[in-house]
Amino acid sequence: MLRRRDFLAGATAAAALPALGAASRAQAQMATPRLPPGFIWGASTSAYQIEGAVKADGRAPSIWDTFSHTPGRIADGTNGDVACDHYNRYAADVDIIANAGFRAYRFSIAWPRVMPQGTGAVNTAGLDFYDHLVDRLLERGVAPMACLYHWDLPQALQDRGGWHNRDIANWFADYARVTVARLGDRVQPWAMLNEPSVHAIFGHGFGNHAPGLTGWASYVTAQHHQNLAQGTAIAAIRAERRDRALGTVFSLQPIHPSSNTPQDIAAASRFDACWNTINLDPLFLGRYPAEFEPYFAPLIQANDMAAIRVPVDFLGVNYYGPSFIKHDPSAFLAQAGYGAVPPGTPRTLLGWPIDPNGLVQVLARLRDHYGNPPVYVTENGACYEDPAPAGGVVQDPERTAYFREHLDACARAISQGCALEGYFAWSLLDNFEWAEGKRRRFGVVHVDFDTQQRTPKASLQFLSQLMRA
């Protein structure tokens, strides 16, 4: 089992926090969370969304490079070629993390930067970047948590079938071994995949994320091969480094019917299986949800489910809010689609419903049905229409309230016996927000994409004060 002391091994104390204004102190005093000593406070990012430098030092294209350069795919016509230029500005960004008081940083590693063709030759220069990043984090007292795959598959592997090719389980395991061999002496813990169900649904079902594939069969195939790759990589790493804490990251959310009709209730159950239990059941129970077993059966070979049901040291949970689902005969995803949200439900700029109690429900489900594994909330945050910086800060009271309410939910979940070990805010920086491009902002630090100027938001000041308290 992963312990807090293991997570922080090698990280020295962070620098003193900067003084905050009266408004930020007042916001923190309004907060109610009572989180235990040793609770891990962190921030999260992902490689394609912030790094930029897509052609630097031997990096090859990913599926998101291809997708974002395809006309009509990105809402504002932008791409991740530069993003936040983190590749060249990582040292200053680490200083922001440390000075804010975060004790941990979850980032992802770009597969096409490490192995440009996805297999075969290793790009030493690409690994050098992560070497420098990890060393800088540790120097500033910040513990690194690395995620091996956050959706940026090498385009060379997509050309060989991508997640539809069963061989990808071994390709991913080879990449994982190479990366952990280089960084594993300093990085603890390691997450295999980020949100495999989301990648399967939106990238291989709806087609509005990279690689832009559509249909039920495409979704099912991508989902099974991600599950298989996850287990195969964990086994491969453990064969060489048994001292590493290994896990994975799922997006979990309560699924509610949009009405009390039997059709909508049944549709919500099917959607819950596609979003939540399609990952949880194979990992913890060694089986797919019963209603979907016939669809997965043609893909499953001998020992697949045993390979997928590999013990994990922790589970990362990304939580944003619930979904309200209706029966939709035209929907590819098990005839289940998004339905009406109850009147009066608060929402983010993206229209996502807000319900902090849903996070308690998600964690209680893990406690009651999946053995109460050690959990980190690895993403939680909100998109709003932020004003321009003024006086060296961006005022974002809605985001601040969102964090306060969800951290209170974390405290309630812990008081109810959920094995929650830490919380990572999404996201450190405003970034390239996938199909939304640069027009939607989740960061606690504002980024001017023309000048790359970083400006703290009031939500960062709130979190800093709360972490100090």
Side-chain angles (χ1 to χ4, degrees):
M1 178 182 294
L2 180 65
R3 302 294 184 185
R4 293 187 182 99
R5 64 176 180 269
D6 299 324
F7 196 114
L8 295 173
T12 57
L17 295 172
L20 302 176
S24 298
R25 289 196 299 272
Q27 285 180 329
Q29 290 166 0
M30 290 171 59
T32 58
R34 295 180 180 272
L35 296 160
F39 189 78
I40 302 299
W41 296 87
S44 283
T45 63
S46 85
Y48 187 74
Q49 292 181 275
I50 68 166
E51 284 182 1
V54 296
K55 297 180 181 178
D57 299 327
R59 181 192 179 278
S62 74
I63 56 175
W64 269 98
D65 293 290
T66 302
F67 190 82
S68 66
H69 281 268
T70 303
R73 289 297 200 179
I74 307 302
D76 62 0
T78 61
N79 55 61
D81 288 5
V82 177
C84 304
D85 195 32
H86 176 74
Y87 189 81
N88 296 306
R89 300 168 187 264
Y90 73 90
D93 289 340
V94 170
D95 289 344
I96 293 172
I97 296 168
N99 290 337
F102 291 114
R103 295 298 309 280
Y105 175 53
R106 172 184 171 249
F107 61 97
S108 76
I109 293 170
W111 192 344
R113 207 178 284 287
V114 173
M115 299 177 79
Q117 298 305 307
T119 60
V122 175
N123 179 30
T124 302
L127 280 170
D128 286 347
F129 166 70
Y130 298 107
D131 244 341
H132 300 325
L133 172 62
V134 167
D135 286 346
R136 180 73 172 187
L137 288 165
L138 294 174
E139 288 168 3
R140 292 305 318 271
V142 179
M145 173 195 256
C147 181
L148 286 164
Y149 183 72
H150 200 128
W151 304 354
D152 48 354
L153 187 73
Q155 181 61 44
L157 293 188
Q158 186 61 41
D159 294 342
R160 298 166 67 181
W163 290 106
H164 288 173
N165 187 331
R166 182 183 171 85
D167 291 341
I168 199 168
N170 290 324
W171 299 338
F172 182 67
D174 289 342
Y175 154 66
R177 273 194 297 261
V178 165
T179 307
V180 175
R182 178 70 176 271
L183 305 174
D185 60 327
R186 285 154 292 151
V187 176
Q188 177 82 293
W190 290 84
M192 300 301 106
L193 306 179
N194 179 78
E195 300 183 343
S197 67
V198 178
H199 191 39
I201 290 170
F202 292 102
H204 299 80
F206 286 123
N208 53 357
H209 278 192
L213 305 179
T214 59
W216 176 258
S218 172
Y219 152 74
V220 168
T221 304
Q223 180 64 72
H224 179 64
H225 290 160
Q226 284 183 96
N227 288 343
L228 184 59
Q230 175 181 280
T232 303
I234 289 174
I237 297 170
R238 281 213 176 108
E240 298 180 5
R241 292 296 302 259
R242 299 193 63 85
D243 59 336
R244 297 299 84 186
L246 307 179
T248 199
V249 174
F250 296 154
S251 175
L252 302 178
Q253 58 182 249
I255 308 298
H256 306 298
S258 61
S259 79
N260 290 325
T261 65
Q263 293 91 344
D264 285 355
I265 292 172
S269 177
R270 295 192 301 271
F271 194 93
D272 177 66
C274 291
W275 191 281
N276 295 315
T277 59
I278 212 76
N279 294 135
L280 292 168
D281 283 8
L283 176 60
F284 291 108
L285 306 178
R287 62 174 183 263
Y288 281 107
E291 59 267 47
F292 294 145
E293 284 181 344
Y295 302 105
F296 283 90
L299 298 168
I300 298 173
Q301 296 185 14
N303 300 319
D304 274 13
M305 300 315 295
I308 294 169
R309 190 185 185 183
V310 60
V312 291
D313 299 301
F314 72 94
L315 182 67
V317 171
N318 294 352
Y319 177 80
Y320 291 95
S323 285
F324 295 86
I325 299 301
K326 67 179 180 180
H327 175 66
D328 181 356
S330 66
F332 95 88
L333 196 66
Q335 297 186 321
Y338 292 102
V341 176
T345 302
R347 303 197 204 191
T348 69
L349 183 63
L350 289 173
W352 297 357
I354 301 171
D355 180 13
N357 193 57
L359 177 55
V360 181
Q361 295 170 2
V362 162
L363 297 174
R365 186 181 198 180
L366 295 173
R367 178 197 64 200
D368 296 341
H369 299 286
Y370 297 100
N372 205 18
V375 169
Y376 296 97
V377 173
T378 38
E379 288 183 24
N380 180 239
C383 173
Y384 291 106
E385 191 69 66
D386 297 332
V393 68
V394 172
Q395 298 297 335
D396 59 340
E398 293 173 306
R399 184 175 293 107
T400 300
Y402 182 98
F403 283 132
R404 181 189 304 115
E405 293 164 358
H406 285 79
L407 284 163
D408 182 66
C410 289
R412 284 187 282 121
I414 292 171
S415 73
Q416 295 172 22
C418 299
L420 179 60
E421 301 282 332
Y423 175 93
F424 291 73
W426 182 269
S427 173
L428 176 68
L429 303 170
D430 290 336
N431 56 32
F432 177 79
E433 188 50 41
W434 305 120
E436 294 290 340
K438 297 176 182 176
R439 68 176 189 157
R440 298 292 181 249
R441 296 174 179 266
F442 278 83
V444 295
V445 175
H446 177 274
V447 177
D448 183 319
F449 293 111
D450 293 325
T451 66
Q452 293 298 330
Q453 177 69 35
R454 271 73 160 146
T455 305
K457 300 183 185 180
S459 57
L460 177 64
Q461 296 178 328
F462 161 75
L463 290 171
S464 296
Q465 186 69 23
L466 187 60
M467 289 184 285
R468 173 187 284 171

